[in-house]
Amino acid sequence: MSKFERGLNIAIATIGVAMVAYHLIGVFLHPLEPALHANTHLTFVFLIVFLPALQTALQKGQKLGSLAAAALILLSVLCVVYIYLFHDELVMRTGDPLPRDVVIGSILVILVIEACRRTQGIVLPLFAGIFIAYALFGQYLPRPFYHLPVPFGRLISWFGISLNEGIFGGLIFLSANIIFLFILFGTVLEITKARDFFTMVGIWVGRKISGGPAQTSVASSALVGSITGSPVANIIITGAVTIPLMKKTGFSPAFAAGVEAVASSGGILLPPVMGAVVFMMMGLTGFPYLTICMAALIPALLYYFGIGWSIYLYAKKEKIVPSEEKVDTRVLLRRAPLFIIPFGLIVVLLALQFSPMYAAGWAMVSALALGCISKETRPDLRTLVDALTRGARSAAAISTMMNQIRCVLVHVGTENDRDDLLTQVIGQSAGATQQLETGPVHCAVRLFHEYPDISVFGEIWDRTNGHLTGQSFELA
């Protein structure tokens, strides 16, 4: 490994730790106003995505790839520095950008799409490209797809350089203030060996019910998912233990993988985190946190009950006996506080109407502090740095996806142009336009026309009762 590559390793680790430190400081001090806070988050995201890309290209000897990654890093720095320097002016000329603003905004959109491609694959960037093309050339299409011409500068203002829309719309605050911290919280639970608690509880359940390790997967995935809210993080934490156990006791590899995938996906339904959607609902509707959680709890439990019951029937059919793995009670009791105390802290703080980012920050700090008490669970410095860097990169990957969603799919044409398409589609529904415009079909067409996944709730609210802005998530 050359000195330059070693330097890149140090730079990536430094940026990862600095990203974590900045967001933790932001939990308690709020040092920057929302737009600059979003820009700082975006700075870290670009660097933590493109620096490893440069490192990989150098290791593979790809000169063109190395030059491309270096150019992306330089352009990232240029764009975020520009926003820092001209923040006040950009706010004043929203919707009427200068030529230099259009150039920076265009580069920013390209950077977001490329960062998403490098972390999420090609599908979402291709989908984004279709909608950008529609925004640019939809004026040449026949109705109902036609929209009025929109100046390129205004489109770029919507997409990239406006500090309250597009890239800097509400989803970047959700990513920076909530999702980032909860992903890091899951990482801290992993390095402090809180995973042992999930595993032991899952094994105990597997010993009592037919299905053995598959029931272990359901129980442990429910516990982990209730905190991380991320199917990917859930699989990483629990799957390494449960999948080999399922295969060992007679389940096919495909069935074991399927059980783990389905059980881990339920984490987005189970309080207290619920894949961060609960925090969007709380911030936008004004409903108390406990009210939303209680409404979600029974459906989530029914979801896991359905998985467990299906495994039970399958195990009976295939004559798979309960697991004989032993539960180490001492380990279970020693690891329990590493999960129960931070988990309880999240629930209590959110119930007391503290912001989700405040609850996640304190839960992360408490989990790390509890882990450092015992030598057995105390991570060494290198393990801690590697884990924080890995968590920062995972969170940055999600952020690139959310930035792209908000950037290119919120303002495809003007509001009236999109309403024209919507009205014509609804108008074909047997004369029931007036009834459908306020009903579920209206919402369905809106969601199909806009974007799915984590932003669904925000889009429903945006198109019905409220307006999704960065301010909505300033403290959320």
Side-chain angles (χ1 to χ4, degrees), residues 387-408:
L388 294 180
T389 304
R390 184 173 66 252
R393 291 180 65 176
S394 298
I398 294 176
S399 183
T400 60
M401 176 183 65
M402 296 178 68
N403 290 341
Q404 179 171 296
I405 288 172
R406 189 64 181 174
C407 167
V408 299

Side-chain angles (χ1 to χ4, degrees), residues 185-265:
F185 177 49
T187 302
V188 170
L189 289 179
E190 183 179 357
I191 62 173
T192 56
K193 300 183 180 178
R195 183 175 67 179
D196 294 345
F197 172 75
F198 309 139
T199 304
M200 292 299 169
V201 170
I203 290 173
W204 181 83
V205 172
R207 286 173 60 89
K208 304 295 182 182
I209 307 174
S210 291
Q215 303 291 6
T216 298
S217 175
V218 174
S220 58
S221 294
L223 288 171
V224 175
S226 68
I227 287 294
T228 65
S230 167
V232 175
N234 203 339
I235 290 171
I236 291 172
I237 294 172
T238 63
V241 176
T242 59
I243 291 177
L245 282 176
M246 282 187 274
K247 291 165 64 177
K248 182 179 177 181
T249 53
F251 291 99
S252 68
F255 187 86
V259 168
E260 182 60 40
V262 173
S264 295
S265 297

Side-chain angles (χ1 to χ4, degrees), residues 82 86 89-90 93 95-104 153 161:
Y82 182 86
F86 300 101
E89 291 89 338
L90 289 171
R93 37 180 199 260
D96 187 24
L98 298 177
R100 69 188 189 197
D101 299 340
V102 174
V103 172
I104 294 295
I161 202 63

